[in-house]
Amino acid sequence: MTIIVTGGAGFIGSNFIFYTLKNHPKYRVICLDKLTYAGNLSTLKDVMDKPNFKFVKVDICDREAVYRLFESEKPDVVVNFAAESHVDRSIESPDVFLRTNIIGTSVLMDACRKYGIERFHQVSTDEVYGDLPIDRPDLFFTEETPLHTSSPYSSSKASADLLALAYHRTYGLPVTISRCSNNYGPYHFPEKLIPLMIANALNDKPLPVYGKGENIRDWLYVEDHCKAIDLILQKGRVGEVYNIGGHNEMRNIDIVKIILKELGKPESLITFVTDRKGHDLRYAIDPTKIHTELGWLPETKFADGIKKTIKWYLENRSWWEEIISGEYMDYYDKMYSNR
Ligand code: NAD
Ligand code: TYD
């Protein structure tokens, strides 16, 4: 079994590579990644020398390079994590989101059609459903909830989902799609809420909370997401969408306070800043389908997962300090200095 993991130098893709190499030691895993600002080769250092692992630096939009790779490696399965993934960046510059998230996905699926494949799995997001009202805790996203996007990021992900379903219906491509809630855990790029707040708190810098911090996200430990995707590859039905989430809804402000408490830092570091444009209010997944069909249940409770995550950031300071000392600082200044 040869599996191509795109975007494997990023947060969830790298965790999925570790999960797969550990749980399927006979698989050959090929990581295809462009190494954008969000991709970090040092993340993969522990697996780089494994005989059944290979890294290739390729842009998923580069049709010739993608076809060449499929021709030489003959993958059985492709799992597509490669994407521009940060909502705030998509509000600043939508272009690259459309290119990578939509065109890139279509190039990969064209390669799958040309060279033949057992499965193409598209890693999507709950953000394709838009948001839910904060005062209706009885409402959840199911797989039947209409797509209703808010940001250029979520619109590009919804477009890719529709294309994947179209390739299944039109060309019979064996596609599956998963739509997961917010992930957290090791190797999360420090522009996203949880790692940004940990890094700022450790450096005694202000913690920028958008609006009043009342927006709700449904948090899942990254390994539980990886396990769900693995199950979908093994037992999922082609042409189907599976929602992934662990009923762990939390307000941003409460997450930030937990992090400060865990690190022994004062709440005076919290700074309320101008809200995100079009800011989604609440995400909440109904995971009934993946639970009843595939038997998936999350294993890590938030109270344990957040402690493990904070410990990881404390023990791996060089990983994120290198990131925040470089080019990323220009982004930080641009996004937060006049907010
Ligand atoms: P990330 O930004 O940490 O990593 C993205 C990776 O894709 C990077 O390694 C980057 O170099 C690579 N990449 C970007 N453009 C590329 C291109 N044109 N060609 C090849 N590689 C390219 O993202 P993440 O948080 O790990 O998210 C991975 C996937 O999961 C994305 O598709 C995202 O939409 C989805 N998702 C993320 C979350 C979350 O909470 N982070 C939740 C649900 C779904
Ligand atoms: P983020 O990690 O960007 O994920 P997403 O927008 O895809 O859910 O943000 C999570 C929540 O945290 C979201 O409601 C926006 C908020 N947020 C802040 O309040 N401050 C910040 O500096 C960031 C990056 C996010």
Side-chain angles (χ1 to χ4, degrees):
M1 170 71 76
T2 298
I3 173 165
I4 289 186
V5 178
T6 72
F11 166 44
I12 311 176
S14 60
N15 277 283
F16 182 76
I17 287 173
F18 304 146
Y19 183 91
T20 303
L21 288 170
K22 187 169 154 210
N23 291 281
H24 303 288
K26 294 210 168 116
Y27 285 14
R28 273 180 76 227
V29 177
I30 295 160
C31 171
L32 180 168
D33 200 296
K34 184 185 177 184
L35 296 180
T36 67
Y37 79 93
N40 200 333
L41 215 41
S42 79
T43 301
L44 297 169
K45 66 178 184 328
D46 289 346
V47 297
M48 229 28 155
D49 292 333
K50 277 188 174 286
N52 58 337
F53 176 77
K54 183 169 169 182
F55 175 82
V56 283
K57 185 174 183 302
V58 166
D59 181 341
I60 58 168
C61 302
D62 182 344
R63 191 174 288 275
E64 272 179 30
V66 169
Y67 283 12
R68 259 200 313 276
L69 186 73
F70 273 63
E71 185 148 11
S72 63
E73 300 295 349
K74 303 185 174 43
D76 303 292
V77 170
V78 174
V79 184
N80 183 28
F81 290 94
E84 289 294 332
S85 68
H86 192 35
V87 172
D88 293 323
R89 286 183 191 254
S90 83
I91 294 168
E92 290 298 301
S93 339
D95 254 32
V96 65
F97 285 73
L98 310 188
R99 185 177 173 275
T100 288
N101 299 2
I102 307 174
I103 305 291
T105 303
S106 77
V107 168
L108 286 172
M109 291 193 297
D110 284 341
C112 291
R113 283 176 60 213
K114 187 169 159 72
Y115 294 98
I117 199 92
E118 280 175 28
R119 180 72 65 83
F120 175 82
H121 183 75
Q122 174 67 5
V123 180
S124 186
T125 163
D126 59 356
E127 302 194 26
V128 298
Y129 300 121
D131 63 353
L132 296 163
I134 288 187
D135 60 356
R136 287 292 308 273
D138 54 316
L139 297 180
F140 297 92
F141 297 136
T142 73
E143 289 79 1
E144 274 71 51
T145 301
L147 303 188
H148 186 82
T149 55
S150 315
S151 70
Y153 163 68
S154 54
S155 306
S156 67
K157 293 297 289 184
S159 306
D161 284 15
L162 291 174
L163 262 183
L165 293 172
Y167 272 58
H168 171 65
R169 174 154 175 171
T170 306
Y171 307 117
L173 195 72
V175 164
T176 41
I177 297 176
S178 53
R179 295 183 180 143
C180 191
S181 60
N182 285 61
N183 285 214
Y184 68 101
Y187 300 108
H188 204 179
F189 196 85
E191 67 184 349
K192 306 281 172 62
L193 179 76
I194 289 183
L196 178 97
M197 298 301 166
I198 297 173
N200 281 17
L202 285 171
N203 287 332
D204 297 307
K205 276 177 68 173
L207 271 51
V209 173
Y210 298 167
K212 294 184 181 148
E214 285 167 352
N215 303 60
I216 293 171
R217 297 293 183 261
D218 184 358
W219 294 94
L220 184 72
Y221 193 63
V222 63
E223 204 177 349
D224 281 321
H225 184 188
C226 297
K227 191 176 164 208
I229 293 173
D230 187 43
L231 265 179
I232 295 169
L233 294 179
Q234 311 297 329
K235 302 202 282 180
R237 289 182 293 137
V238 298
E240 293 290 319
V241 174
Y242 293 91
N243 282 355
I244 308 171
H247 282 304
N248 182 54
E249 291 174 50
M250 299 188 66
R251 297 189 314 164
N252 295 338
I253 187 70
D254 296 328
I255 301 251
V256 171
K257 286 183 180 170
I258 289 172
I259 291 170
L260 286 170
K261 189 158 176 234
E262 202 59 45
L263 290 172
K265 298 287 182 175
E267 288 191 6
S268 55
L269 284 174
I270 295 174
T271 313
F272 293 98
V273 300
T274 312
D275 211 351
R276 174 185 280 172
K277 292 189 182 94
H279 198 171
D280 279 337
L281 295 173
R282 170 176 167 252
Y283 301 146
I285 283 276
D286 175 353
T288 305
K289 180 173 172 180
I290 192 165
H291 174 53
T292 50
E293 257 189 43
L294 308 184
W296 178 85
L297 274 178
E299 283 168 18
T300 302
K301 291 195 176 63
F302 188 79
D304 302 327
I306 193 71
K307 281 199 179 75
K308 270 207 273 189
T309 303
I310 291 174
K311 187 164 177 280
W312 187 88
Y313 280 84
L314 282 166
E315 288 170 356
N316 293 275
R317 276 190 95 116
S318 61
W319 182 86
W320 55 269
E321 275 178 344
E322 217 165 274
I323 292 169
I324 63 175
S325 66
E327 180 189 325
Y328 168 72
M329 272 325 286
D330 299 338
Y331 163 83
Y332 195 88
D333 288 343
K334 184 171 162 224
M335 295 303 278
Y336 293 97
S337 58
N338 291 317
R339 197 153 185 155

